[in-house]
Amino acid sequence: MRNLFGNLFERWTENEMRITVVCALLSAVSLALSLTGTFSGVLPADIAWIAIVLCGFPILLGAARGVILEHDIKADLLVALALVASVGIREYFAAGEVALIMQIGSLLEDYTSEKARRGIEKLIGLKPWTARVRRDGSDVILPADEVRAGDVLTVFAGETIPADGTILEGRTSIDQSVMTGESIPVDKKEGDTVTSGTTNRFGTFSMRADRACGDSSLQRMIRLAEEADANKAPIVSLADRWATWLVAAALLCALLIWLFTGEFVRAVTALVVFCPCAFILATPTAVVAGIGNAARYGILIRSGDALERLSRVRRIAFDKTGTLTHGRPQVTAFRSLDASFTDDDILRLAARVERYSGHPLGKAVVASFQERTGEDPEPVSDSHTIAGRAVSGRIGGTEVAVGKAEYFASLGMPLNGAVEAADEYLGQGATVVCLSHGGKVVGLIALADTIRPEAGDTVRALESAGISCMLLTGDNERAARSAASAAGIADVRSDLLPEEKASVVKEYEDRGEPTCMIGDGVNDALALSSAYAGIAMGGIGSDIAVESADAVLVSDEIKHLPYLFRLMGKVMRKVRTNIIASLLINVSAVALSAAGALTPVTGALWHNFGSVFVVVNAALLLREKD
């Protein structure tokens, strides 16, 4: 029994916030008893000493550590001076009250920070610890960190997928809600990719790890989350530097008040109210709340510095493929050129020929047929591939092939008006393949990287917020114009090399327009890192692009961009409001102290009202919703 309670106590006390809460509660009780004089004359000392010791000692220790070991003057020093001065004039209740309210302010800050980081910590908690790896024909459970690219893994129902990879055998449904926000599990089969951190909901499957566990998309997001939590905005460092000057100013004000009024109590009160706690809390609480709120919507911001720069963006440069578009080809049209075949016949025959194709266009044709019919295409006989040109097979003894019109023309095959019919789709930036049956072209299929359905609304919302949008792409002008038109973007630059993208971004920044680049590929990395701010598509983005960006859209949802920039603006307004309010509260409190209107007790209340105000004001950011 003793061991049981000992273990429970040890686990409970692992959380420092719990210990601080208990100390604060005991201190509050002791101050209430001191104020009412319940134990006056009974105890050898004022019961307020409980608050001074429990809440004041950590402050004194922190101040001493800062001055002696770190050679740094922090807000704790002013509080420590106020504590010592209050005890020196036997204002024990005031000393305990200062210590208690400082601890309450600290608890509020910790609570705000903890709640703000909850979305990030949820992501970190997804990290798988073990993996079932195939070794010498049998499955062996190993630490997930030992998974390497090329390993074959087995994943049971209910387990977390330990690495990014491709399904080799089996069908299942994957819960991707945490990573992508999809509320319904996604069906997966052989050849489909799966992501580390998502959950296998149905059946057992084997997969090939395409990346080591340490290089998975989940681990990449965790590293970004840890950076976001650890970094501070430059404005925070500025506040720390100002705090040093405020300490010197507080000591000077207290000395002058003592000299001119001759009342040491007023000098002590000035020390109590001059503590720049609210000023120090003004920025980090708002920054942490903003980063945490963004994380709830699948947006990871690398640092407070990145947050500040994102708030100033006046122009956004979109990449096309994988950013404004889905980044993969999809069938946009299929059409018969022969009265013997319907349009549906063309897609069905093409899907049968392409059933085992490894080409992205072939996979897109098969996927389109499966999506429309809910069936797998029937196999063909004598299937073979003409490298880089066509795929063919026999259906009922008749040869059927899928390829470019140029290939069929080179065979002298009748094109049946395919070239003219294809021009309509080529003008929209699509790729067109033809279907031949029995020695003549009988239909065509258009495939394109389709625009994201939310792209148009996103661009309009950004433009309404005063942020101009443009398209920068290495794709040809026809495809670029088509995508830009669908998204409602007028400013288009196409056929750009990576360095040319970066040059265009710099061109606008030289004009005084802070520009944000949004991309996903290796070719975007230079523009992402050289832009005033960069946002990467985290789900399909390359490692280099993600590492070069200031923020990452984990779920690739560009529809969250208007919310992101609106939130960044609100965060910086909160910072400015908090700083101004904290300075006004401190200045007014010093003036009232010099006039004798405040005592050490009421001064402590007035001063710490500022700390509570800035923390609560920052915490309101957690209520912001997209």
Side-chain angles (χ1 to χ4, degrees):
M1 184 64 70
R2 181 181 301 174
N3 290 336
L4 174 61
F5 282 108
N7 291 334
L8 288 174
F9 178 77
E10 183 178 349
R11 289 179 60 186
W12 192 84
T13 54
E14 283 178 356
N15 190 325
E16 292 183 7
M17 186 180 293
R18 291 172 180 166
I19 299 175
T20 307
V21 168
V22 171
C23 291
L25 289 174
L26 292 175
S27 298
V29 172
S30 70
L31 289 174
L33 295 174
S34 174
L35 185 63
T36 58
T38 303
F39 291 100
S40 179
V42 177
L43 298 176
D46 195 313
I47 197 172
W49 272 101
I50 293 178
I52 295 173
V53 172
L54 293 180
C55 294
F57 182 73
I59 296 173
L60 293 172
L61 189 63
R65 185 189 297 116
V67 174
I68 298 172
L69 299 180
E70 301 173 9
H71 307 292
D72 189 18
I73 296 177
K74 298 180 180 179
D76 283 352
L77 179 59
L78 256 183
V79 181
L81 291 174
L83 275 171
V84 172
S86 297
V87 171
I89 61 173
R90 300 180 181 275
E91 288 282 357
Y92 302 121
F93 178 82
E97 184 189 34
V98 169
L100 174 61
I101 297 180
M102 282 301 298
Q103 286 289 21
I104 292 175
S106 177
L107 281 171
L108 284 173
E109 181 190 7
D110 291 343
Y111 174 75
T112 302
S113 301
E114 182 179 344
K115 187 174 181 181
R117 288 194 296 266
R118 196 168 295 165
I120 298 174
E121 290 172 350
K122 184 178 181 182
L123 186 66
I124 295 174
L126 291 172
K127 178 182 176 181
W129 296 104
T130 60
R132 194 173 284 100
V133 185
R134 192 164 299 171
R135 293 281 191 267
D136 300 324
S138 61
D139 290 335
V140 180
I141 296 179
L142 298 175
D145 291 339
E146 295 184 15
V147 173
R148 298 292 177 263
D151 282 346
V152 176
L153 314 177
T154 302
V155 183
F156 290 165
E159 291 184 341
T160 299
I161 297 172
D164 295 352
T166 304
I167 295 178
L168 299 177
E169 184 179 357
R171 290 173 176 258
T172 185
S173 293
I174 304 296
D175 183 354
Q176 303 180 149
S177 58
V178 176
M179 295 295 286
T180 67
E182 295 169 285
S183 58
I184 300 174
V186 179
D187 292 336
K188 299 282 186 177
K189 61 183 185 305
E190 293 90 346
D192 288 343
T193 58
V194 291
T195 305
S196 172
T198 57
T199 304
N200 178 24
R201 290 299 183 195
F202 174 77
T204 300
F205 66 88
S206 63
M207 60 173 283
R208 180 187 66 250
D210 295 335
R211 298 179 181 177
C213 183
D215 295 328
S216 70
S217 55
L218 173 62
Q219 291 285 26
R220 192 171 64 204
M221 295 305 107
I222 289 174
R223 287 195 295 271
L224 287 170
E226 290 171 341
E227 287 180 22
D229 190 38
N231 287 311
K232 296 168 71 177
I235 194 169
V236 177
S237 300
L238 180 64
D240 289 338
R241 289 196 297 271
W242 284 6
T244 301
W245 291 104
L246 286 172
V247 169
L251 291 173
L252 179 61
C253 284
L255 180 61
L256 291 175
I257 291 172
W258 189 15
L259 290 176
F260 280 99
T261 64
E263 296 186 28
F264 186 64
V265 173
R266 295 190 186 188
V268 171
T269 305
L271 280 178
V272 170
V273 301
F274 217 114
C275 297
C277 307
F279 185 74
I280 297 299
L281 295 175
T283 299
T285 50
V287 167
V288 170
I291 289 176
N293 198 334
R296 289 165 49 193
Y297 291 95
I299 307 168
L300 291 183
I301 302 171
R302 189 181 293 275
S303 65
D305 176 41
L307 183 151
E308 189 175 3
R309 282 185 278 109
L310 285 167
S311 70
R312 297 174 179 170
V313 166
R314 303 314 324 145
R315 174 174 288 272
I316 291 179
F318 285 97
D319 173 48
K320 183 182 81 70
T321 305
T323 303
L324 278 183
T325 66
H326 289 287
R328 59 184 183 274
Q330 294 180 311
V331 173
T332 57
F334 46 94
R335 176 175 169 185
S336 173
L337 302 174
D338 189 299
S340 303
F341 299 90
T342 66
D343 291 345
D344 289 337
D345 289 336
I346 299 302
L347 181 62
R348 178 176 53 81
L349 292 173
R352 293 184 65 180
V353 175
E354 296 277 16
R355 177 172 179 175
Y356 298 110
S357 172
H359 194 282
L361 296 182
K363 290 181 178 180
V365 170
V366 174
S368 178
F369 175 80
Q370 292 172 327
E371 182 181 341
R372 284 175 166 82
T373 65
E375 304 172 358
D376 289 330
E378 297 177 15
V380 298
S381 60
D382 193 23
S383 176
H384 65 282
T385 301
I386 300 92
R389 308 196 73 184
V391 179
S392 68
R394 288 191 172 275
I395 300 176
T398 303
E399 183 172 346
V400 181
V402 177
K404 292 290 187 68
E406 293 83 356
Y407 168 70
F408 296 118
S410 69
L411 300 178
M413 190 179 293
L415 297 182
N416 205 14
V419 174
E420 295 76 13
D423 283 341
E424 174 188 349
Y425 305 108
L426 292 173
Q428 299 170 2
T431 298
V432 178
V433 295
C434 296
L435 175 76
S436 71
H437 185 278
K440 66 176 180 179
V441 173
V442 296
L444 57 81
I445 299 175
L447 303 100
D449 183 8
T450 56
I451 198 81
R452 293 179 185 271
E454 68 271 22
D457 290 339
T458 298
V459 169
R460 284 190 291 273
L462 291 169
E463 296 274 4
S464 299
I467 300 176
S468 302
C469 297
M470 63 186 301
L471 177 63
L472 304 182
T473 179
D475 212 338
N476 63 76
E477 182 177 1
R478 190 158 50 181
R481 291 287 177 188
S482 176
S485 176
I489 298 177
D491 191 352
V492 183
R493 310 288 181 92
S494 58
D495 299 301
L496 296 177
L497 297 173
E499 56 269 26
E500 291 173 328
K501 287 186 179 182
S503 178
V504 172
V505 169
K506 188 176 184 304
E507 172 190 330
Y508 278 96
E509 289 184 9
D510 290 342
R511 298 180 187 176
E513 286 188 68
T515 302
C516 175
M517 179 70 197
I518 303 178
D520 73 299
V522 174
N523 63 328
D524 300 317
L526 182 59
L528 285 168
S529 59
S530 59
Y532 187 75
I535 299 176
M537 308 294 282
I540 62 174
S542 70
D543 290 344
I544 296 177
V546 170
E547 295 297 332
S548 302
D550 295 301
V552 178
L553 298 179
V554 177
S555 58
D556 292 338
E557 296 279 2
I558 62 172
K559 66 182 180 181
H560 293 310
L561 288 174
Y563 155 77
L564 171 63
F565 289 103
R566 186 172 66 248
L567 177 65
M568 297 303 96
K570 289 185 177 181
V571 169
M572 296 315 297
R573 285 194 292 274
K574 287 285 186 185
V575 168
R576 289 190 289 270
T577 300
N578 284 352
I579 288 177
I580 293 172
S582 63
L583 289 176
L584 289 176
I585 290 171
N586 273 23
V587 170
S588 63
V590 170
L592 292 171
S593 300
L598 293 178
T599 66
V601 173
T602 56
L605 287 172
W606 178 262
H607 156 260
N608 284 286
F609 163 74
S611 299
V612 174
F613 170 81
V614 298
V615 171
V616 172
N617 192 38
L620 293 176
L621 286 168
L622 297 172
R623 301 175 60 186
E624 291 294 325
K625 295 182 180 180
D626 186 3

